[in-house]
Amino acid sequence: MSNLKIYKAMTIAGSDTSGGAGMEADMKTFEENQVYGTCALTCIVAQHPEDWFHEIIPLDIVTIEKQLNTILGAIGCDAMKTGMLGSAELVELVAHTIDKYELKNVVIDPVMVCKGIDAIMVPEAAAAIKELLIKRADLMTPNLLEAAYLADLPAIKNIDDMKEAAGVIVERGAKCVAMKAGDRFGGDKAIDLLYDGKEFKIFEAPLIKGAYNHGAGCTFSACMTANLAKGKTVGEAMEITQNFMQKALSGSFPICKFGGATRHWAHRE
Ligand code: PXL
């Protein structure tokens, strides 16, 4: 038995049955960062083996509330993140839970789109995230589509647009924004932006051609969450996460004929 201090992180997320994204990515990333993970499961995503159509099977709100009670009533957490929330009712429950337990290090990953679908999946849930969760977030981790939606901008096409969107999201109440452009601008660089309301920091990394990036957004956000749980600043967490992602993407691998996954353990190889 160990007496070392154990840091804990909670994810409120869906299960990606294929193992690369969702709560599976979150829990693997917590573990790789030496943080004990707990999970309140919101839905199950089951991919059809013939065509990889993502079927979303929601869990009922009472079941989700029971899980939150287990975790927060008995175990607690040093940081938390959200993943696929899927309904306005669930977003309301998450907002209420953050207030009730006065949760610290609240990371909101506003999962509104899945790779390849350039449209907001559940408009009511997205609107509720904008209204109820931005202002409760210590850190928001949107991709470009999500950031444009949250900031009411038509599209984000360059770094200036990223800064503008981050500015609006902070004005709307988030303490900090870590925005992931990934490969969206073309070119040979992956660009991330960190804004804490005072200073814009740009993080540039070589774009890893042909990487399997399924689950990369969840992994990024979970790595930030784990490091906030350990008491790192957002800036320190971002440095660690940049390194973690570079390795996880460089070492990504195919899992089936429809795609692959990031290598969560690559940082220790
Ligand atoms: O990467 C977004 C995402 C989040 N959560 C779950 C998912 C996916 C994408 O497939 O399945 C559960």
Side-chain angles (χ1 to χ4, degrees):
M1 129 118 198
S2 165
N3 290 323
L4 284 179
K5 162 98 180 133
I6 296 294
Y7 297 101
K8 300 169 195 157
M10 169 179 74
T11 182
I12 308 173
S15 163
D16 168 17
T17 302
S18 77
M23 77 88 166
E24 285 82 355
D26 293 345
M27 296 292 273
K28 291 173 193 182
T29 305
F30 293 163
E31 188 80 4
E32 290 296 335
N33 283 276
Q34 297 88 39
V35 168
Y36 180 76
T38 55
C39 173
L41 195 64
T42 60
C43 65
I44 296 168
V45 175
Q47 291 86 359
H48 294 186
E50 311 80 32
D51 57 6
W52 220 236
F53 172 77
H54 286 43
E55 185 173 337
I56 301 179
I57 304 141
L59 295 188
D60 68 278
I61 197 93
V62 176
T63 306
I64 300 168
E65 199 166 6
K66 281 184 184 163
Q67 299 172 77
L68 290 168
N69 288 341
T70 304
I71 298 166
L72 298 169
I75 302 167
C77 66
D78 300 299
M80 63 150 279
K81 80 176 281 288
T82 59
M84 200 178 268
L85 295 179
S87 76
E89 188 187 26
L90 178 50
V91 173
E92 280 162 28
L93 174 62
V94 171
H96 170 75
T97 303
I98 293 168
D99 294 349
K100 178 174 171 194
Y101 292 99
E102 298 178 8
L103 296 181
K104 306 265 170 331
N105 295 318
V106 172
V107 179
I108 304 295
D109 191 19
V111 176
M112 296 175 184
V113 294
C114 259
K115 291 249 151 53
I117 311 171
D118 281 7
I120 301 294
M121 289 189 304
V122 184
E124 300 76 20
I129 291 174
K130 196 193 283 185
E131 190 195 326
L132 299 174
L133 294 186
I134 294 183
K135 59 184 168 211
R136 290 178 168 84
D138 292 297
L139 176 68
M140 298 284 306
T141 58
N143 61 29
L144 296 188
L145 286 159
E146 292 154 352
Y149 174 84
L150 294 171
D152 291 309
L153 294 174
I156 298 177
K157 298 206 173 82
N158 51 45
I159 294 181
D160 282 343
D161 293 348
M162 286 176 88
K163 289 182 178 170
E164 186 182 354
V168 175
I169 294 168
V170 165
E171 260 167 36
R172 293 185 171 175
K175 293 215 179 70
C176 221
V177 182
M179 198 181 297
K180 312 157 283 187
D183 55 6
R184 287 272 171 170
F185 294 153
D188 56 2
K189 294 256 185 314
I191 291 165
D192 293 334
L193 171 80
L194 185 64
Y195 181 54
D196 60 0
K198 292 184 211 100
E199 196 191 347
F200 293 104
K201 268 198 184 167
I202 305 286
F203 293 79
E204 276 189 8
L207 194 64
I208 300 149
K209 295 267 182 313
Y212 292 100
N213 60 4
H214 172 65
C218 307
T219 300
F220 174 96
S221 184
C223 193
M224 293 296 289
T225 307
N227 283 286
L228 293 179
K230 288 162 92 170
K232 306 283 185 205
T233 64
V234 176
E236 289 165 347
M238 190 74 170
E239 297 283 352
I240 294 166
T241 301
Q242 292 289 321
N243 181 49
F244 191 89
M245 292 310 300
Q246 273 293 304
K247 294 193 167 144
L249 285 163
S250 306
S252 66
F253 50 88
I255 52 169
C256 68
K257 66 179 179 186
F258 298 107
T262 61
R263 191 184 202 88
H264 294 101
W265 62 87
H267 69 110
R268 58 183 157 85
E269 285 181 337

Coordinates of all heavy atoms in Angstrom, one line a residue, residues 13-24 26 41-47 52 54-56 81 83-85 109 111-115 121 146 213-219, ligand 1:
A13 N -18.3 11.7 -19.8 CA -18.1 11.5 -21.2 C -18.7 10.3 -21.7 O -19.2 9.4 -20.9 CB -16.6 11.4 -21.5
G14 N -18.8 10.2 -23.0 CA -19.4 9.0 -23.7 C -18.3 7.9 -23.9 O -17.1 8.2 -23.8
S15 N -18.7 6.7 -24.1 CA -17.8 5.6 -24.4 C -17.6 5.5 -25.9 O -18.6 5.4 -26.6 CB -18.3 4.3 -23.8 OG -17.7 3.2 -24.4
D16 N -16.4 5.5 -26.3 CA -16.1 5.2 -27.7 C -15.8 3.7 -27.8 O -14.6 3.4 -27.4 CB -15.0 6.1 -28.3 CG -14.5 5.6 -29.6 OD1 -15.2 4.8 -30.3 OD2 -13.4 6.0 -30.0
T17 N -16.7 2.9 -28.2 CA -16.5 1.4 -28.2 C -15.2 1.1 -28.9 O -14.5 0.1 -28.5 CB -17.7 0.7 -28.8 OG1 -18.8 1.1 -28.1 CG2 -17.5 -0.8 -28.8
S18 N -14.8 1.8 -29.9 CA -13.6 1.5 -30.7 C -12.3 1.8 -29.9 O -11.2 1.5 -30.3 CB -13.5 2.2 -32.0 OG -13.2 3.6 -31.9
G19 N -12.4 2.5 -28.8 CA -11.3 2.6 -27.8 C -10.4 3.8 -28.0 O -9.6 4.1 -27.1
G20 N -10.6 4.6 -29.1 CA -9.6 5.7 -29.3 C -10.0 7.0 -28.8 O -9.1 7.9 -28.5
A21 N -11.3 7.3 -28.6 CA -11.8 8.6 -28.2 C -12.6 8.5 -26.9 O -12.5 7.5 -26.2 CB -12.6 9.3 -29.3
G22 N -13.4 9.5 -26.6 CA -14.3 9.4 -25.5 C -13.6 9.1 -24.2 O -12.5 9.4 -24.0
M23 N -14.4 8.5 -23.3 CA -13.9 8.2 -22.0 C -12.7 7.2 -22.0 O -11.9 7.3 -21.1 CB -15.1 7.7 -21.1 CG -15.5 6.3 -21.2 SD -14.5 5.2 -20.2 CE -15.5 3.7 -20.4
E24 N -12.7 6.4 -23.0 CA -11.5 5.5 -23.1 C -10.2 6.3 -23.2 O -9.2 6.0 -22.6 CB -11.7 4.5 -24.2 CG -12.7 3.4 -24.0 CD -14.1 3.8 -24.3 OE1 -14.4 4.9 -24.6 OE2 -15.0 2.9 -24.2
D26 N -9.8 9.4 -22.4 CA -9.7 10.2 -21.2 C -9.0 9.3 -20.1 O -8.0 9.7 -19.4 CB -11.0 10.7 -20.6 CG -11.6 11.7 -21.6 OD1 -10.9 12.2 -22.4 OD2 -12.8 12.0 -21.4
L41 N -20.4 8.0 -17.1 CA -20.7 7.7 -18.5 C -22.0 8.3 -19.0 O -23.0 8.2 -18.3 CB -20.7 6.1 -18.7 CG -20.6 5.6 -20.1 CD1 -19.3 5.9 -20.7 CD2 -20.8 4.1 -20.1
T42 N -21.9 9.0 -20.2 CA -23.1 9.7 -20.6 C -23.9 9.0 -21.8 O -25.1 9.1 -21.9 CB -22.7 11.1 -21.2 OG1 -21.8 10.9 -22.3 CG2 -22.1 11.9 -20.1
C43 N -23.1 8.2 -22.6 CA -23.7 7.5 -23.7 C -22.7 6.5 -24.2 O -21.5 6.5 -23.8 CB -24.0 8.5 -24.9 SG -22.5 9.3 -25.6
I44 N -23.2 5.7 -25.1 CA -22.3 4.7 -25.7 C -22.3 4.9 -27.2 O -23.4 5.0 -27.8 CB -22.7 3.2 -25.4 CG1 -22.6 3.0 -23.9 CG2 -21.9 2.2 -26.1 CD1 -23.3 1.7 -23.4
V45 N -21.1 5.1 -27.8 CA -21.0 5.2 -29.2 C -20.6 3.8 -29.8 O -19.5 3.3 -29.4 CB -20.0 6.3 -29.7 CG1 -19.9 6.3 -31.2 CG2 -20.5 7.7 -29.2
A46 N -21.4 3.2 -30.6 CA -21.1 1.9 -31.2 C -21.0 2.1 -32.7 O -21.9 2.6 -33.3 CB -22.2 0.9 -30.8
Q47 N -19.8 1.7 -33.2 CA -19.6 1.8 -34.6 C -20.1 0.6 -35.4 O -19.8 -0.5 -35.0 CB -18.1 2.1 -34.9 CG -17.6 3.4 -34.5 CD -17.1 3.4 -33.0 OE1 -17.2 2.4 -32.3 NE2 -16.6 4.5 -32.5
W52 N -18.8 1.7 -40.3 CA -18.3 2.6 -39.2 C -19.3 3.7 -38.9 O -18.9 4.7 -38.3 CB -16.9 3.1 -39.6 CG -16.0 3.1 -38.4 CD1 -15.3 4.2 -37.9 CD2 -15.6 2.1 -37.5 NE1 -14.6 3.9 -36.8 CE2 -14.8 2.6 -36.6 CE3 -16.0 0.7 -37.5 CZ2 -14.2 1.7 -35.6 CZ3 -15.5 -0.1 -36.5 CH2 -14.6 0.4 -35.6
H54 N -21.4 5.9 -36.8 CA -21.4 6.0 -35.3 C -22.8 6.1 -34.7 O -23.5 7.1 -34.9 CB -20.6 7.3 -34.9 CG -19.1 7.2 -35.1 ND1 -18.5 6.7 -36.2 CD2 -18.1 7.7 -34.3 CE1 -17.2 6.7 -36.1 NE2 -16.9 7.3 -34.9
E55 N -23.2 5.0 -34.1 CA -24.6 5.1 -33.5 C -24.4 5.5 -32.0 O -23.5 5.0 -31.3 CB -25.2 3.7 -33.5 CG -26.6 3.7 -33.0 CD -27.3 2.3 -33.1 OE1 -26.9 1.5 -34.0 OE2 -28.2 2.1 -32.4
I56 N -25.2 6.5 -31.6 CA -25.0 7.1 -30.2 C -26.2 6.5 -29.4 O -27.4 6.8 -29.7 CB -25.0 8.6 -30.3 CG1 -23.8 9.1 -31.1 CG2 -24.9 9.2 -28.8 CD1 -23.7 10.6 -31.2
K81 N -13.2 17.0 -16.4 CA -13.4 17.4 -17.8 C -14.8 16.8 -18.3 O -15.3 15.8 -17.7 CB -12.3 16.9 -18.7 CG -12.4 15.5 -19.1 CD -11.3 15.1 -20.1 CE -11.6 15.6 -21.6 NZ -12.6 14.8 -22.3
G83 N -16.9 15.5 -21.9 CA -16.7 15.1 -23.2 C -18.1 15.2 -23.9 O -18.7 16.2 -23.8
M84 N -18.5 14.1 -24.5 CA -19.8 14.1 -25.2 C -21.0 14.3 -24.2 O -21.2 13.4 -23.4 CB -20.0 12.9 -26.1 CG -20.9 13.0 -27.2 SD -21.0 11.4 -28.2 CE -19.8 11.8 -29.4
L85 N -21.7 15.4 -24.3 CA -22.8 15.6 -23.3 C -24.2 15.3 -24.0 O -25.0 14.7 -23.4 CB -22.8 17.0 -22.7 CG -21.5 17.2 -21.8 CD1 -21.5 18.6 -21.2 CD2 -21.4 16.1 -20.7
D109 N -14.5 20.4 -22.5 CA -14.2 20.1 -23.9 C -15.5 20.0 -24.6 O -16.3 19.1 -24.4 CB -13.5 18.7 -24.0 CG -12.9 18.4 -25.4 OD1 -12.8 19.4 -26.1 OD2 -12.7 17.3 -25.7
V111 N -17.4 19.0 -26.8 CA -17.6 18.1 -28.0 C -18.9 18.3 -28.7 O -19.9 18.0 -28.1 CB -17.4 16.6 -27.5 CG1 -17.7 15.6 -28.6 CG2 -16.1 16.4 -26.8
M112 N -18.8 18.9 -29.9 CA -20.1 19.1 -30.6 C -20.1 18.5 -32.0 O -21.1 18.4 -32.6 CB -20.2 20.7 -30.8 CG -20.3 21.4 -29.5 SD -20.3 23.2 -29.9 CE -20.4 23.8 -28.3
V113 N -18.9 18.1 -32.4 CA -18.7 17.5 -33.7 C -17.8 16.3 -33.6 O -17.0 16.2 -32.7 CB -18.1 18.5 -34.7 CG1 -19.0 19.7 -35.0 CG2 -16.7 19.0 -34.2
C114 N -18.0 15.3 -34.5 CA -17.1 14.2 -34.5 C -16.3 14.4 -35.8 O -16.7 15.1 -36.7 CB -17.9 12.9 -34.7 SG -17.9 12.0 -33.1
K115 N -15.1 13.8 -35.9 CA -14.2 14.0 -37.1 C -15.0 13.7 -38.3 O -15.8 12.7 -38.4 CB -13.1 13.0 -37.0 CG -12.1 13.3 -35.9 CD -10.8 13.8 -36.4 CE -10.1 14.8 -35.5 NZ -10.0 14.2 -34.1
M121 N -23.7 18.7 -33.7 CA -24.5 17.5 -33.7 C -25.8 17.7 -33.0 O -26.9 17.3 -33.6 CB -23.7 16.3 -33.0 CG -22.6 15.8 -33.9 SD -21.8 14.4 -33.2 CE -21.3 14.9 -31.6
E146 N -15.8 24.3 -33.0 CA -16.5 24.5 -31.8 C -16.2 25.9 -31.3 O -17.1 26.6 -30.8 CB -16.0 23.5 -30.7 CG -16.5 22.1 -31.0 CD -15.6 21.0 -30.5 OE1 -14.5 21.2 -30.0 OE2 -16.0 19.8 -30.6
N213 N -5.7 10.6 -36.2 CA -6.0 11.6 -35.1 C -7.3 11.4 -34.5 O -7.8 12.2 -33.8 CB -5.8 13.0 -35.6 CG -6.7 13.3 -36.8 OD1 -7.5 12.5 -37.1 ND2 -6.6 14.5 -37.4
H214 N -7.9 10.2 -34.7 CA -9.2 9.9 -34.0 C -8.9 9.9 -32.5 O -8.0 9.3 -32.0 CB -9.7 8.5 -34.4 CG -10.9 8.1 -33.6 ND1 -12.1 8.7 -33.6 CD2 -11.0 7.0 -32.7 CE1 -12.9 8.1 -32.8 NE2 -12.3 7.0 -32.3
G215 N -9.7 10.7 -31.7 CA -9.5 10.8 -30.3 C -8.5 11.8 -29.8 O -8.2 12.0 -28.6
A216 N -7.8 12.5 -30.8 CA -6.8 13.4 -30.4 C -7.3 14.6 -29.6 O -6.7 15.0 -28.6 CB -6.1 14.0 -31.7
G217 N -8.5 15.0 -29.9 CA -9.1 16.2 -29.1 C -9.4 15.7 -27.7 O -9.1 16.5 -26.7
C218 N -9.9 14.6 -27.5 CA -10.2 14.1 -26.1 C -8.9 13.9 -25.4 O -8.8 14.2 -24.2 CB -10.9 12.7 -26.2 SG -12.4 12.7 -27.2
T219 N -7.9 13.3 -26.0 CA -6.6 13.1 -25.4 C -6.0 14.4 -25.0 O -5.5 14.5 -23.8 CB -5.7 12.3 -26.4 OG1 -6.4 11.0 -26.7 CG2 -4.4 12.0 -25.8
Ligands
PXL1 O1 -13.8 12.6 -30.7 C1 -15.0 12.9 -30.3 C2 -15.7 11.8 -29.5 C3 -16.0 12.1 -28.2 N1 -16.6 11.1 -27.4 C4 -17.0 9.9 -28.0 C5 -16.7 9.6 -29.3 C6 -16.1 10.6 -30.1 C7 -15.8 10.3 -31.5 O2 -16.0 9.3 -32.1 O3 -17.1 8.5 -29.8 C8 -17.7 8.9 -27.1

